[in-house]
Amino acid sequence: MLENDLKFLEETFKQYYFDHFDLIHVPDRSKEREYGYKKFNSGMIRHMSLKTDKDLHLMLMTNVPSDVFCSNGYYSFPNLPMAEKDWKEADLIFDIDAKDLNLSCRKDHTCMKCVSCNEISLVQDTCPKCKSNKLDLVSLPCQNCISGVKKEVLNLVKILTSDLQIDDKNIRISFSGNEGFHVYVTNSSYNQLGSNERRDLIDYIKFQSAIPERFGFPKNNPSRTSFPDLGDPGWSGRVAKELFGSKSKRSKVITKVIADGKVAYQQKLEAMKDSIGVKIDSNVTSDIHRIFRLEGSLNSKSSLVKLVCEDIEKFNPYTEACLIDDQPVEISANSPIKFRLKNTNFGPYIDEKISVPKYAATYMICKGLAAVSNA
């Protein structure tokens, strides 16, 4: 990152933290958690202990981090090296991101940046300037992406409450500050699960490793009555809805399933993980030592805020989580795709010197699609 851009982002982030201390708090059982942070153009600093909001605010103003993190795990000694922390338990956390949904709209708001020469262009096989194939994709998610992630989140919450009997008061949803949402489960018996048990839970939620015997196709002589009904609870009902579509089609579909055989039914079940399984990030949920972005902090990939969502269906991250001020900033912009923040459309820009509100400038600079203008 250029020195002018680095200085601009540090000043902007510092001003945000000064203006919005009210949004930034240490979580429950803070003394048992590990904290960490990153600075622009540097690596992670972790194994920190913060006990109060005052400690946290002092760290923010002293270090001006690009990103701030807090563990899902609880430890006897959170500031010691990992092998000496003495792990007690960990909140169950799920990460659902737009990039993992394979939505058709993504191609319309993704461009590429050449690693070799920094040329920015619409997506193609090679860099149009130097012909390199070392390319980074840059996406500016749209409302359709956010709607798709919200749908996955609501499906996940339904499974957590109905199948796993988790009280909804112990479930918290946060916008991640970039392309997705985090779902937290706290104060539940699932906190005690280790990584291996969490992987079993992941398989269940993603509908992985389903077998025909579990859904109506026994080893010998399958019958119509053995297949699930649309009104069945849990995955049986979800499979039935996906397989039959309606009660009236059930008999006809079962006839074909039996005729096609067990192997074909296994393939149908495996394919269903893409349509009815929840698209959570397995690595996030299984990691009992991960440190997660702190609620109320800025995401350096976008300059948007990680915020708790009281009503996810109404939540609009591109207005509610866009809290940088609107002071005009001169930038050199090269964003071949458009985006929308605070109900205002921006772009596309092709090597243009323009004046935009600071929130739009920081967003593009964080995405690597603009630089502070020297003129």
Side-chain angles (χ1 to χ4, degrees):
M1 185 178 291
L2 298 175
E3 185 175 345
N4 283 351
D5 297 332
L6 181 63
K7 182 179 179 182
F8 170 75
L9 289 179
E10 286 181 337
E11 290 175 350
T12 301
F13 277 42
K14 186 172 185 177
Q15 187 64 48
Y16 164 80
Y17 286 121
F18 183 80
D19 293 339
H20 295 283
F21 276 157
D22 60 310
L23 292 178
I24 309 158
H25 304 284
V26 295
D28 293 341
R29 299 172 63 182
S30 179
K31 294 179 182 180
E32 299 171 81
R33 295 181 188 265
E34 174 195 356
Y35 292 83
Y37 67 88
K38 291 173 66 176
K39 291 177 69 70
F40 292 101
N41 282 4
S42 70
M44 177 80 76
I45 296 170
R46 57 183 298 181
H47 308 300
M48 297 174 58
S49 178
L50 299 173
K51 297 178 175 62
T52 66
D53 286 355
K54 185 177 180 180
D55 293 337
L56 174 59
H57 295 166
L58 180 62
M59 184 273 286
L60 292 172
M61 299 309 295
T62 302
N63 297 287
V64 193
S66 63
D67 303 275
V68 186
F69 304 95
C70 176
S71 69
N72 65 327
Y74 302 91
Y75 305 96
S76 299
F77 311 103
N79 58 330
L80 293 183
M82 191 61 69
E84 301 172 33
K85 287 183 185 295
D86 185 25
W87 183 86
K88 298 177 180 179
E89 58 180 286
D91 296 332
L92 188 60
I93 304 184
F94 303 92
D95 181 17
I96 302 178
D97 218 67
K99 65 179 172 54
D100 299 321
L101 303 188
N102 300 315
L103 298 173
S104 60
C105 64
R106 195 164 182 85
K107 65 181 184 299
D108 299 326
H109 50 74
T110 298
C111 62
M112 68 182 198
K113 189 171 186 177
C114 178
V115 175
S116 301
C117 72
N118 291 323
E119 178 73 4
I120 297 170
S121 65
L122 294 174
V123 177
Q124 47 198 290
D125 292 336
T126 59
C127 172
K129 184 176 180 179
C130 73
K131 305 305 178 185
S132 171
N133 59 3
K134 296 180 180 179
L135 310 166
D136 286 335
L137 295 180
V138 180
S139 184
L140 308 183
C142 66
Q143 285 293 350
N144 185 60
C145 293
I146 297 302
S147 296
V149 180
K150 286 181 179 181
K151 182 179 178 182
E152 293 293 317
V153 169
L154 293 172
N155 287 339
L156 170 61
V157 171
K158 188 180 297 183
I159 291 172
L160 295 178
T161 54
S162 63
D163 295 22
L164 304 183
Q165 303 299 305
I166 294 172
D167 193 321
D168 58 7
K169 72 180 182 183
N170 293 329
I171 298 173
R172 187 173 76 254
I173 301 168
S174 294
F175 171 61
S176 71
N178 193 26
E179 293 199 36
F181 291 84
H182 296 159
V183 178
Y184 290 73
V185 175
T186 59
N187 301 316
S188 81
S189 58
Y190 295 95
N191 280 33
Q192 302 292 332
L193 297 182
S195 293
N196 290 335
E197 294 87 353
R198 291 179 193 229
R199 290 189 189 99
D200 292 337
L201 197 61
I202 290 163
D203 283 346
Y204 182 84
I205 290 169
K206 296 180 78 169
F207 195 65
Q208 295 182 146
S209 306
I211 59 174
E213 289 85 353
R214 169 66 178 81
F215 296 98
F217 208 120
K219 293 181 179 179
N220 300 304
N221 301 322
S223 67
R224 294 181 180 279
T225 57
S226 62
F227 284 86
D229 288 317
L230 277 73
D232 287 347
W235 281 116
S236 292
R238 296 182 195 108
V239 167
K241 291 183 180 73
E242 183 71 12
L243 190 62
F244 309 132
S246 66
K247 188 176 291 188
S248 62
K249 296 179 181 178
R250 183 176 184 272
S251 179
K252 183 178 180 180
V253 173
I254 288 175
T255 298
K256 187 174 188 313
V257 167
I258 293 174
D260 290 344
K262 189 174 181 179
V263 172
Y265 190 38
Q266 174 75 67
Q267 292 170 344
K268 276 183 176 293
L269 292 174
E270 289 174 356
M272 282 185 194
K273 69 172 184 255
D274 293 325
S275 54
I276 63 175
V278 183
K279 297 174 179 61
I280 57 174
D281 185 327
S282 301
N283 293 327
V284 169
T285 302
S286 63
D287 191 345
I288 60 174
H289 298 294
R290 182 177 287 257
I291 52 177
F292 286 83
R293 193 173 303 281
L294 186 71
E295 289 167 342
S297 69
L298 291 169
N299 190 321
S300 68
K301 296 176 182 176
S302 66
S303 76
L304 300 179
V305 182
K306 178 171 179 178
L307 278 185
V308 175
C309 305
E310 299 299 334
D311 185 342
I312 187 174
E313 295 187 79
K314 294 181 180 178
F315 181 78
N316 182 350
Y318 302 119
T319 56
E320 296 178 57
C322 187
L323 298 183
I324 302 297
D325 66 64
D326 58 2
Q327 176 185 342
V329 177
E330 299 287 331
I331 61 171
S332 298
N334 192 0
S335 175
I337 48 180
K338 60 185 179 180
F339 61 95
R340 186 174 176 84
L341 291 174
K342 289 190 178 180
N343 298 316
T344 303
N345 293 322
F346 297 94
Y349 306 114
I350 308 299
D351 291 323
E352 298 180 42
K353 287 191 175 182
I354 55 173
S355 177
V356 295
K358 188 185 286 185
Y359 62 82
T362 55
Y363 185 75
M364 283 190 280
I365 292 170
C366 286
K367 293 289 185 180
L369 302 178
V372 176
S373 179
N374 294 319

